[in-house]
Amino acid sequence: RIFVLGIGFFTLCFLMTSLGGQFSAKRLGDSPFTIRTEVMGALESRGLLRRMSDMLEMLMKRMDILARLENSTDLHKGDEARFPLDRFQPAAGLMERIQAIAQNVSDIAIKVDQILRNSLLNGKVMEGRRDQCEVPRDPKYPDCAGKVEWMRARWTSDPCYAFFGVDGTECSFLIYLSEVEWFCPPLPWRNRTVAVPSPPPKPRAQAAFRRDLARLLELIGTGKESLSFMKKRIRHLAQQWLRAARRLEQKLAGRQRDQKQILIHIGFLTEESGDVFSPRVLKGGPLGEMVQWADILAALFMLGHSLRVTVSLKELQSYLGVPPGRGNCPLTSPLPFDLIYTDYHGLQQMKQHMGLSFKKYRCRVRVIDTFGTEPAYNHEEYATLRGYRTNWGYWNLQPTQFMTMFPHTPDNSFMGFVSEELNQTERQLIKANKVSSMAVVYGKEASIWKGKEKFLAILNKYMEIHGTVYYETQRPPEVPAFVKNHGLLPQHEFQQLLRKAKLFIGFGFPYEGPAPLEAIANGCVFLQARFNPPHSSLNHEFFRGKPTSREATGTAVFQVSSQHPYAEDFIGKPHVWTVDYNNSEEFEAAIKTIMRTQVDPYLPYEYTCEGMLERIHAYIQHQDFCTTSSAPLSPKTKSPAMQSPPSPLALSPNSTHLVWSPSAGWAPQAWPPVASLQVWVSEPQHTCTETCRRRGLVCEPTFFSFLNKEEVFLQLSIACDSTEYEMNHLYPAVAEGVHECYLQKEPLLFSCAGYNTKYRRLCPCRDFRQGQVALCRDCL
C-alpha cells in the first residue's frame, strides 16, 4: 500500500513538472519563424493534461479497490480491526486530495482545450501558410525558384542566413528572398505596415572649409609606421593646405556645397592584405601610395566633409553594417556613406563582405589606382573573351571611378598628390645655393643600383654623387665607394639635399613615383632613361597583370617608354631629360649640357595643394555614377516609329571637326558641359588620347555617347556601306578601306585608349584649364 501511494505521489510530481515545462515554453508569436513549433508544443501540452487526468482517475480507482479489500479482511480480526481502520485514516484523506487534484486538472484541461481551440482557429491560416508555402510564379521575379532551390541546399553554408531568420523551412526561404534580398515577390500573408509617405528629407549640412588639421590627425589613428608617416606629411604641409583652402574658398565665392559622409578604407594597410608597406617605411620601401593617401585625406578634410578612416577589416565591417557570417548576405541597414575611397585590396574586401549590397552601392566607390584601369580590362565579359583579363580589373565599374596618381589616360579620373610649393624667397635662395656639380640618385633600395656601374662611372667624372640608400650595419655592396650615401633621410632633410643638388637621376625604377616632381619643384633637373624597347608585360615582370595597355595597339600590351612618362610628356625640357642609357655618348652629352643649363624651381599647378583641392572639389560636386544611363539602341531594336532626333552637333567653321551646335536648342545636364565638346577623327595609328593631344585638347570619355550615332559619320562626310553595333573598346570607328562603320554596343567600353591600324576612330575632345588637365575651362 505504501509502495502504491509513493508511486502515485511521484507520478503526480513528474506530471506537474512536465506540465510546468510546457507552460514555460515561449508564447505564440514570439518569432515569425517559431509558429509551427509553438503550435505543436501547445497541442502536446493539451494531450499531456488529458493523460494526467486519466492517470489520476486510474490511481484513485485502484486505491479504492485496495481499501475495500482491506476492510473486508479486517472484519474477521476482532479487537485488532480498529488498528487498520485508524491506520487507513490518512490514506482516506490522501484519496480525497488526489480526487480534488484530479478534478482541478480536469477543469484545467477543459480550459486549456478551449484556449487552444480559439488560438488554433485564429492561427489556422497562418499555420497553413507556414506549412504549405509555395514558390510564387511571377514573371517579374524569374530567379525566385532557382534561389529557393539554392537556399534548400546551401542555407547552412553561411551563418548570416540564420541571423536573418532562415530556419530551413520553405517559408523562411521565401521571407528572406523577398524581404532581405529581392529575388522573390513579397508574401501576401506577411504582416506589413501600410506604406506611409516618408517625410521630406532634412536639409543636408553644408560643407565649410576647415581651419585646422588636428581633428584629421586623430581620425587617422596610430599603431602603424605607415600611419605615422602620413601624419608627419600632413603636419609638414599643414600651412600650405590652409592657404590653399582659403584661396579656393574665395574662388568659389560662397557657393553652396553639401557635406558628404565619406569612408576612407586603405585596404593595402590591413593585416588581411599583408600590409607589406608598414614594415618597410623605415627600410627604404616605396612611399608613393602613402604620400598620395595622406594628401587625399588632407584634401577631403579641408574641403569640409565628414570622414571615417579605417585600415582594419573589422572596422570596415562595423562601419558598413556587415551581418555576422561569411559575407553572402546584404548589409543590415542602408549604407550610411555617400562616398567610399579605397584601393583594389579594399574593393576586394568590400565585395567579399557586402553580399548583394556591393552591386547596389558600388557606384559610390572611388578606387585609388596608381597605374590606372582601362575599359577593356574593366569589363569582365569583354576582358575574358578578348584576353584582357589580368590580376586586377574586371570590376564593371565606370572607368572614371578609378583615380590615378598621374593623368595616364582620360578614361580614369586623375587624383594626383601634392608637392611642396616654394615662396619667392625660397626660390631665390635655392637658385643662389645650387651646386652645379652635385647629383642625387633616385632610389632608396640597394637593388636599384645593381648593374649601373657604367653610368655611375661616367657621371662620377663630372659630378659628386649622393645617395639615400637604406642600410643597417654596413654599406650596401651595390653602392660604389665614390658615392656619398646618406642612408634614409627624413622628408625635410631629403628636401634640403634636393635644394642643393643640380641633378636628380633615375635608373629606371621605381616607376612614376612622386620624388621626380619634388626634385623639379626644388630646382633640380631630372634625368631619366628612355626604354627601348618600351617596358611592358611581355618583357618586364613588374608590369605583368597591370590592367592597362597605356597607348598600345589592339594587342593590349602595357607599355611604358620611360621611367616617368608624365615628367617626359607634361613637363619636358629643360626640367626633364629623357635619354637612351645604352648610348654612352648621348648619356655623357646630356650630363654636360645639364651642368650648363639654368632652371628655376617648377611645380605644375595640378600638383599644388590648391590644384588638388580644386580637382577633388569638382569630382565630389559633379561626378555621379549612381544615376543610370540607357545603353545605345542597336539597329535591330529600333522601330520605324523611333526616329533619331536631329543631331545637336554641327561642323565647325573650318569644316574639320564637329562641335556642339549653338542652335541645338537644348543642352543636357552633363559634366563636363557639352559646350566644350569637339569631335575629331583619328589617324589609324593614333589613340583618341593622342588625337586630342595633338590639337591641344584632352579626350573626354563621357562625351562618347553623343557621337555614337550613325548620323555623326554622315556629318563628317564618312561613307558607310554598313553600320554595326558591337562590343569593342575601339568603337565608334570606321574601317576606311571597306567603308564599314562600327558603333559601340556597351557603354562601359567607351575608351580613349587603344588603336588599330585598321580603324580611324571617332574621338570626343574638350578644352582644359591652364595647369589643370583634369578639368575643362567651365568645369569648376
Side-chain angles (χ1 to χ4, degrees):
R1 290 191 299 269
I2 295 175
F3 175 76
V4 173
L5 289 173
I7 290 296
F9 177 76
F10 283 111
T11 301
L12 178 62
C13 292
F14 171 75
L15 292 173
M16 292 301 291
T17 303
S18 300
L19 182 62
Q22 294 292 334
F23 282 136
S24 66
K26 292 183 180 179
R27 293 182 179 88
L28 289 174
D30 279 355
S31 167
F33 302 104
T34 58
I35 294 173
R36 182 175 181 179
T37 303
E38 299 305 333
V39 171
M40 293 302 294
L43 292 173
E44 292 173 0
S45 297
R46 181 173 61 182
L48 182 60
L49 284 168
R50 288 174 177 172
R51 290 195 299 272
M52 179 178 175
S53 178
D54 293 343
M55 291 178 68
L56 286 170
E57 290 180 9
M58 185 179 296
L59 178 61
M60 191 168 59
K61 289 178 181 178
R62 291 182 178 179
M63 291 184 68
D64 184 55
I65 293 171
L66 181 61
R68 287 198 300 271
L69 179 62
E70 194 70 33
N71 288 335
S72 65
T73 304
D74 288 342
L75 290 175
H76 303 286
K77 294 185 179 180
D79 294 338
E80 296 177 2
R82 291 188 299 274
F83 177 73
L85 290 175
D86 295 339
R87 185 177 59 181
F88 265 87
Q89 201 65 34
L94 179 60
M95 287 179 61
E96 292 175 359
R97 291 189 183 96
I98 292 175
Q99 187 175 7
I101 292 173
Q103 184 62 43
N104 290 336
V105 170
S106 180
D107 294 340
I108 292 173
I110 293 171
K111 291 180 181 179
V112 169
D113 185 66
Q114 292 173 349
I115 294 172
L116 289 175
R117 287 179 183 277
N118 292 333
S119 298
L120 289 174
L121 286 173
N122 294 332
K124 186 176 181 180
V125 176
M126 183 69 71
E127 182 183 353
R129 287 168 178 165
R130 187 69 191 166
D131 289 335
Q132 301 175 9
C133 279
E134 294 183 359
V135 179
R137 305 296 177 182
D138 189 332
K140 296 179 181 179
Y141 299 89
D143 299 323
C144 184
K147 291 293 181 180
V148 170
E149 188 67 30
W150 188 96
M151 291 290 286
R152 288 193 195 108
R154 300 291 303 278
W155 75 272
T156 58
S157 63
D158 193 325
C160 72
Y161 296 117
F163 172 82
F164 282 110
V166 177
D167 61 3
T169 61
E170 202 82 353
C171 288
S172 70
F173 298 154
L174 290 171
I175 291 170
Y176 174 84
L177 291 171
S178 62
E179 298 180 12
V180 180
E181 297 184 4
W182 44 89
F183 292 105
C184 294
L187 301 176
W189 53 269
R190 288 285 291 170
N191 290 329
R192 295 189 303 277
T193 57
V194 178
V196 179
S198 57
K202 296 180 181 179
R204 298 194 62 154
Q206 293 298 298
F209 287 94
R210 290 193 169 94
R211 302 286 184 259
D212 184 13
L213 283 161
R215 174 58 183 154
L216 174 61
L217 299 178
E218 295 177 8
L219 287 173
I220 294 174
T222 58
K224 292 177 179 285
E225 287 294 342
S226 50
L227 299 180
S228 298
F229 172 85
M230 288 191 282
K231 290 166 73 171
K232 288 178 183 177
R233 177 175 175 81
I234 291 171
R235 279 193 290 264
H236 179 71
L237 295 173
Q239 292 305 313
Q240 297 205 18
W241 283 116
L242 294 172
R243 288 194 295 268
R246 286 193 293 268
R247 290 195 294 266
L248 181 58
E249 186 175 18
Q250 294 172 359
K251 192 181 297 184
L252 296 178
R255 194 179 307 173
Q256 294 293 300
R257 299 180 301 117
D258 288 342
Q259 186 184 60
K260 305 291 186 180
Q261 300 296 319
I262 300 177
L263 174 65
I264 297 101
H265 175 61
I266 311 177
F268 74 88
L269 293 182
T270 60
E271 298 300 328
E272 289 77 10
S273 68
D275 188 14
V276 297
F277 284 87
S278 294
R280 299 173 65 191
V281 169
L282 301 179
K283 297 183 178 180
L287 302 178
E289 287 85 352
M290 281 174 277
V291 165
Q292 186 182 34
W293 275 108
D295 296 345
I296 290 170
L297 285 164
L300 292 172
F301 186 79
M302 292 305 300
L303 287 169
H305 299 292
S306 177
L307 309 185
R308 293 289 183 272
V309 184
T310 174
V311 293
S312 158
L313 180 58
K314 185 176 181 180
E315 284 187 343
L316 173 69
Q317 293 173 319
S318 174
Y319 286 141
L320 296 178
V322 175
R326 299 187 178 93
N328 290 306
C329 298
L331 302 181
T332 57
S333 58
L335 186 70
F337 300 103
D338 302 300
L339 294 169
I340 299 177
Y341 287 83
T342 189
D343 52 27
Y344 261 127
H345 294 281
L347 194 64
Q348 183 64 49
Q349 292 168 349
M350 289 169 58
K351 182 180 180 182
Q352 182 179 353
H353 293 278
M354 289 177 67
L356 290 174
S357 295
F358 178 78
K359 184 177 181 180
K360 180 179 180 180
Y361 293 120
R362 64 184 177 182
C363 60
R364 304 186 190 184
V365 174
R366 307 293 183 266
V367 185
I368 307 305
D369 177 12
T370 302
F371 289 98
T373 299
E374 292 175 6
Y377 300 82
N378 170 62
H379 192 281
E380 184 174 18
E381 179 186 356
Y382 185 76
T384 303
L385 292 174
R386 300 295 186 93
Y388 296 124
R389 187 114 183 185
T390 63
N391 297 337
W392 310 100
Y394 60 83
W395 286 93
N396 293 323
L397 301 177
Q398 293 291 336
T400 38
Q401 287 180 255
F402 297 97
M403 301 187 140
T404 59
M405 184 172 282
F406 293 96
H408 307 305
T409 169
D411 292 326
N412 303 146
S413 298
F414 164 45
M415 172 60 77
F417 58 93
V418 304
S419 288
E420 189 169 356
E421 194 174 3
L422 305 177
N423 58 38
Q424 192 59 35
T425 301
E426 291 171 325
R427 292 165 65 90
Q428 293 298 328
L429 191 62
I430 286 174
K431 290 179 66 175
N433 293 329
K434 278 292 177 184
V435 179
S436 60
S437 61
M438 178 178 173
V440 175
V441 174
Y442 181 18
K444 295 171 292 184
E445 294 185 351
S447 59
I448 295 172
W449 295 66
K450 188 177 296 184
K452 307 301 188 298
E453 295 81 3
K454 181 179 178 180
F455 313 128
L456 290 169
I458 296 174
L459 181 61
N460 188 48
K461 290 165 53 178
Y462 302 95
M463 309 184 85
E464 180 181 84
I465 305 174
H466 294 251
T468 56
V469 183
Y470 169 77
Y471 62 95
E472 292 183 350
T473 56
Q474 59 184 1
R475 185 185 187 91
E478 295 86 353
V479 180
F482 54 76
V483 174
K484 184 176 182 181
N485 186 25
H486 300 262
L488 287 183
L489 294 177
Q491 184 67 17
H492 69 281
E493 293 184 25
F494 181 64
Q495 294 277 353
Q496 294 302 319
L497 189 65
L498 292 176
R499 292 183 179 187
K500 291 179 61 178
K502 175 72 173 184
L503 177 67
F504 189 64
I505 182 171
F507 285 143
F509 190 84
Y511 298 100
E512 300 182 307
L517 265 67
E518 293 178 353
I520 295 168
N522 282 286
C524 293
V525 174
F526 177 51
L527 176 64
Q528 64 171 344
R530 178 184 297 112
F531 299 148
N532 189 18
H535 287 185
S536 72
S537 58
L538 298 181
N539 59 21
H540 203 285
E541 183 64 30
F542 179 83
F543 294 109
R544 194 156 292 139
K546 297 292 189 296
T548 173
S549 62
R550 193 73 65 81
E551 306 296 335
T553 68
T555 57
V557 176
F558 183 99
Q559 293 184 329
V560 174
S561 59
S562 65
Q563 182 174 353
H564 207 291
Y566 175 86
E568 178 184 6
D569 296 335
F570 287 82
I571 301 177
K573 292 181 179 180
H575 300 279
V576 179
W577 290 63
T578 305
V579 301
D580 184 0
Y581 279 22
N582 293 321
N583 187 329
S584 299
E585 294 180 357
E586 182 183 356
F587 179 76
E588 189 168 358
I591 293 172
K592 291 179 181 179
T593 306
I594 289 170
M595 292 180 69
R596 297 191 302 267
T597 303
Q598 296 295 321
V599 296
D600 292 330
Y602 173 72
L603 179 62
Y605 173 75
E606 55 200 358
Y607 283 97
T608 65
C609 290
E610 185 177 355
M612 188 168 184
L613 283 175
E614 185 180 275
R615 192 164 57 248
I616 296 182
H617 155 74
Y619 290 154
I620 291 176
Q621 291 301 114
H622 300 293
Q623 283 185 336
D624 179 8
F625 303 113
C626 296
T627 302
T628 58
S629 59
S630 58
L633 291 171
S634 68
K636 296 180 181 179
T637 61
K638 291 183 180 180
S639 67
M642 295 174 63
Q643 299 296 326
S644 298
S647 173
L649 301 175
L651 277 173
S652 64
N654 59 9
S655 301
T656 57
H657 62 280
L658 301 179
V659 296
W660 194 269
S661 174
S663 61
W666 66 283
Q669 294 296 318
W671 189 84
V674 292
S676 63
L677 168 63
Q678 298 183 26
V679 182
W680 291 84
V681 182
S682 77
E683 296 299 324
Q685 68 274 19
H686 289 166
T687 66
C688 281
T689 301
E690 180 65 19
T691 298
C692 297
R693 183 183 298 166
R694 285 171 175 259
R695 290 161 178 82
L697 303 168
V698 175
C699 181
E700 179 51 61
T702 60
F703 286 156
F704 268 112
S705 59
F706 299 120
L707 51 99
N708 192 49
K709 301 175 182 179
E710 292 182 52
E711 54 265 31
V712 175
F713 289 111
L714 296 175
Q715 289 180 289
L716 290 167
S717 301
I718 297 174
C720 300
D721 292 340
S722 65
T723 303
E724 299 290 338
Y725 276 78
E726 293 183 10
M727 283 201 313
N728 191 308
H729 70 287
L730 302 179
Y731 295 166
V734 56
E736 280 196 307
V738 291
H739 300 287
E740 294 176 350
C741 296
Y742 299 93
L743 297 175
Q744 182 60 258
K745 185 179 180 181
E746 173 50 70
L748 286 180
L749 287 174
F750 285 135
S751 177
C752 293
Y755 71 89
N756 189 308
T757 55
K758 175 183 175 181
Y759 301 115
R760 296 183 69 197
R761 302 187 57 190
L762 300 189
C763 300
C765 307
R766 62 162 171 82
D767 56 34
F768 60 92
R769 296 171 66 85
Q770 184 65 32
Q772 184 74 286
V773 70
L775 304 179
C776 70
R777 291 171 188 164
D778 297 324
C779 278
L780 189 59

